[in-house]
Amino acid sequence: MLDYMEYVVKTFHQLTNWNPQANSYEHLTDTSEALLDFTIPNSFKFQLSNNSSPYTYNTLEITARQNNRHPQRINGYLTYLYTNVKNLHDAIHNSNDISLQDATQTYKHVQPSFNTKKKSIVDHEGENASLYYGRIYYPTSDLEAMVMKRLKRNSQLTFKWLSSPINNLNILTIYWQLKTRQDRNLHEFIYSTNDSLCGYRVLHNFVSGSSKFNNSLYNNSSLSVGGEVWLSLKSHNPGGSTSIRYCTHSANTGRPLTLTFSYNPLFGHISSTYAAKTGLNSTFCTRYDFNIYSIDSNLTFGWEFWKNNSDNSKLKEPDTNVNSLSGNSSLEVSPLINTSQQKLLNDLTYTFSSSLEKIDKEKTAIEKFQKKINESNFTNVWKFSTSLKDKNLKIKWEGKFKGFLLSAGTELYSTSSIIQDINGQTNFKHQKNERVMPLYPGKFGFQLQYSK
Amino acid sequence: MSFQFNEQMFKDNSFNDTIKQRLTSALNSFSKKNNLSHESSSSNTPSSSSSNTSSSSSASIPISHETNSLSILKSGIVVRKVNFPTIPQIEILDLDIQTTQPRSLLKGMCKISCKDATLQIQTIIESNLLLLNLEEQPVFTTPRMINNNSFQIPITMTFTKIQLEAITNIFMKDHGVSISFNDVSLNFDFDCSIKILQSTIEKRLKNSMKLVFEDILPTVIFNMSQNWFTGKSHPPANQKLIQPNNSHPRMILEESDLQELSATNMLRLSTIISSRHTLSLHSTEIHSLSTIPGCLERQNLYRFISKMPSLTCFDNCASKLQQQREKQQEIMERPSRRKNSHLPSHQINQLPQSALDEHTYNLETITNIQNHLYERSKGDHIAPRRRKVKLNLKKKKTNTNKSLPESKFTEITTQLENEISTEARTTPVPVSKESHDVTPQPDVEDDGKSKTMVSSRKSSNGSVHNETRYFKLPKRAAKYLNNSNNSSSNSITTDMIKTISPPLSPLSLSKNYRDYDNSKGFNFIGLNHHGWRWGINEDQPPPYS
């Protein structure tokens, strides 16, 4: 479940035409992480959010945690956010109206936006946009602050500051992001006072040429290449990686899929992911990790099962049937595409109906699928993830119920693996019970969100 | 003061196993308890760190790592190989006991050296330190990294040719031992299975070595010794491994020692010590102003011993010995002039059997000797009895007494001849034979010799002899006195012989020499009685010229 403030920041980026999901190297593997490494709530959490004025947003969270270390402890935080973007509050929905797909971290199809030659009004949209964010925790009274400011159309500065009097921490992290070459490149310079960590990362989005990757006129694929270099000046620890991402749609079914491959040259780690929307209601993701030095490998799977409301699905069903039946008909109007473009396509179809039949077929399939997903009103989602090496199973359920966003999850470990984790030995007293209970619940939590 | 250095323990290689075992446990206690401070954790390893200082070098590895992050170690540390092929050498450079303080304080300097040791450690570490650093940091300010994964590497570190040389200062009070390492030179060949890390690890090790020797080891040893001195924890296994410099040296004062400590002797000792504090060398000379009366410096001991007058030294055989005996007498007078010259209370002052048998003695020499003996004993509270002795019977008695332990005396004389005469270095038996053979020949010379003795005695009453003058004297005097009266000397002898027995006690002087070897006869130099051999048995006194 996306935090309310994260949701606001995300919308802020979208409105100011920044789109870090597509352009930043940091978010290259977002999809696979959302499907495989989703976080499991480990406590009872209640979050109340409010858009108090067009420019300010508040959140109150209370967490009740019960474990052996801190018996029955209640803590939480209070968040304030201010932004000078005027129409942000229009784009932000409350928990009743928001679609579940926006509220959860799930498969996101990346479509990098490029700045065309026209310098239109859109270019200046994000300029001078700024966002101020503060969060105070209680009872520890730790303080978090973030300032995000667009210096120019193509550069943005971000400060993140954390102060914790109890842990005696004072960390400032500075991000400077710069878009170059018609927004195809995004350079990021990062410095953190913690361990004097310096970093540089860059991502390049190739122009999705019409027939470079797919011999069809209507091409939705994108290729991105990037890399990062890290060095902590204090402890002299280096880090770095290089990655490639390819997003496309399946030619036959029109379903989106994402492939990523990343390689860490310093530590010889190779990670490749494949994520696909296998159907309207399901998503599948797999990741294979391999280390060329230690020959360690790991295979991770993740599934998502969406469930939509029975009423909505009934309404939509006849449409899909019609669409599937009349596959050849190219006259169907998609609301997503510009009217001019649609008209041109229609004209083309008329003239070259026979030759373009194939392209048309693909296009319609993709569009149909996208439309269906967007229109379908999902009410809840089940997420599963398992890893062969860790021998665990993560289960998470997220849903909407009467205006509340709910999230519950647990993580199950195989007993044998937890023995090795904790003791490093093979003897464990629960070993006899292994037949009875092969999995051991490690975490359990429940989350409740309401925003107005 | 004494300490024990159990060399046997190092001779078989069993101590290597013990070190290995202890090192393993100590290193692993480090990795398990993350929060341990340096002192407390290293105090868990007293034996390993103190038993061999080079093994503590390995203990410093986790110390240096501890500052980075402890989670870098993914498994326990296994000590694969420990090999100390040679016995660590300890050379004591200086020892000083301050008895003035109520609780004895011992200062010492010690040189420790250890060679060709080998040590091998194995463990598993995390490869990606950046990940480890960032994992524990707050998420909010930590930038996300892609594919920042880690794996675990087994690492083997081998230290070969460990050479340690250190000069330590040891201060010991009764509540603890404090040791400071002054001049540490530690060299080793370091070999790491991960070559990239080799140089950095080596650098860090050498840096931390300074800390180990300056700070950690002294505190560890001090804490440990405190435990010992208070006697609370006595792990017997620990004692095995401790080198004597770490163990507390104990002063052993036996009761017999205490009995022989006289107040006057102690006073003299303290004056010697105080004179030494000035670092003046004059006190070692015989006739300098700084010479403490009645005090014999060890440097001059051989002279003193070689000139001790005794009838057992009486040797009438060799004319070659004559000169020496004259020298003897000459120098003998000097100590005799000292007021409180220390004479052992018992002496056997008897003529050797051979001399009596062959009638090679002459009375003048005997009187000389006896006179000197008397003079030497002046300081003691014995009334001079020389005049009181009248009877001839006494002479006979003493003579009969002399004759009883014949064989013993002959042996002793031959030995003494060996010691005194530079020429006669042959075995005792031939010397004695020689003496028998030659006896008739130097009779005349003997008389002359005795004359010179008389003359020297006379002069001794007045001024001090010049050595150069005296050196020329014997030949001249011998020639001169060759012709002169034997009768006069003979007449004197009757008187002189009366003086033979008292005031000297009946034990032989030669036995007295033995006493120096065996026990604490001379208390005033009495730190180390091995030193007596220097003057008597092993080294001949340097030629007196």
Side-chain angles (χ1 to χ4, degrees), chain B residues 333 368 371-372 452-461:
Chain B
E333 287 165 6
N368 270 331
N371 275 335
H372 286 306
T452 57
M453 282 180 174
V454 173
S455 66
S456 65
R457 183 177 59 83
K458 283 171 184 172
S459 62
S460 71
N461 293 332

Side-chain angles (χ1 to χ4, degrees), chain A residues 4 7-8 11 51 88-99 102 405 451-452:
Chain A
Y4 183 74
Y7 171 61
V8 172
T11 325
N51 182 5
L88 188 62
H89 69 280
D90 297 330
I92 284 181
H93 304 285
N94 61 27
S95 61
N96 201 19
D97 300 336
I98 193 171
S99 70
D102 287 338
L405 288 170
S451 61
K452 200 183 172 188

Side-chain angles (χ1 to χ4, degrees), chain B residues 171-361:
Chain B
F171 299 94
M172 201 214 66
K173 278 194 164 187
D174 61 345
H175 60 271
V177 179
S178 62
I179 290 178
S180 64
F181 291 86
N182 277 350
D183 207 357
V184 183
S185 75
L186 178 69
N187 283 313
F188 51 84
D189 289 355
F190 179 67
D191 183 42
C192 180
S193 61
I194 302 169
K195 294 294 174 193
I196 306 167
L197 298 175
Q198 182 162 336
S199 60
T200 51
I201 290 179
E202 195 171 1
K203 211 182 282 174
R204 284 192 183 188
L205 271 180
K206 296 218 161 146
N207 286 338
S208 60
M209 212 47 48
K210 202 181 172 190
L211 182 75
V212 168
F213 281 105
E214 275 183 2
D215 196 19
I216 296 170
L217 261 184
T219 48
V220 167
I221 291 170
F222 184 74
N223 290 339
M224 182 183 61
S225 67
Q226 264 191 330
N227 283 346
W228 282 17
F229 278 60
T230 51
K232 281 176 184 173
S233 62
H234 260 282
N238 280 0
Q239 279 182 324
K240 282 184 189 171
L241 281 170
I242 298 308
Q243 287 179 349
N245 63 317
N246 299 327
S247 70
H248 57 114
R250 275 174 301 174
M251 289 259 309
I252 298 177
L253 275 176
E254 292 168 8
E255 287 188 3
S256 56
D257 280 335
L258 290 169
Q259 282 171 357
E260 299 205 10
L261 290 176
S262 73
T264 49
N265 281 338
M266 294 310 287
L267 195 68
R268 286 172 201 162
L269 260 185
S270 67
T271 48
I272 290 179
I273 289 167
S274 63
S275 74
R276 274 180 185 159
H277 283 189
T278 63
L279 292 177
S280 75
L281 291 173
H282 295 295
S283 59
T284 59
E285 291 175 16
I286 288 181
H287 285 296
S288 62
L289 287 173
S290 59
T291 310
I292 301 159
C295 207
L296 184 66
E297 288 287 344
R298 209 183 126 186
Q299 287 89 330
N300 301 324
L301 183 67
Y302 69 97
R303 297 179 187 165
F304 179 75
I305 290 162
S306 60
K307 287 141 211 165
M308 199 69 118
S310 170
L311 286 182
T312 46
C313 303
F314 184 79
D315 198 9
N316 46 7
C317 58
S319 60
K320 295 168 190 172
L321 288 181
Q322 197 168 329
Q323 283 186 1
Q324 286 186 355
R325 212 172 309 138
E326 285 162 358
K327 288 176 206 165
Q328 264 181 40
Q329 274 189 330
E330 200 267 348
I331 302 158
M332 181 188 66
E333 287 165 6
R334 294 165 186 167
S336 70
R337 246 178 280 124
R338 293 170 192 157
K339 283 177 184 174
N340 278 327
S341 66
H342 186 274
L343 254 193
S345 52
H346 1 268
Q347 272 183 338
I348 286 184
N349 197 19
Q350 287 170 339
L351 280 173
Q353 178 69 28
S354 57
L356 286 176
D357 287 344
E358 295 165 22
H359 301 283
T360 50
Y361 57 88

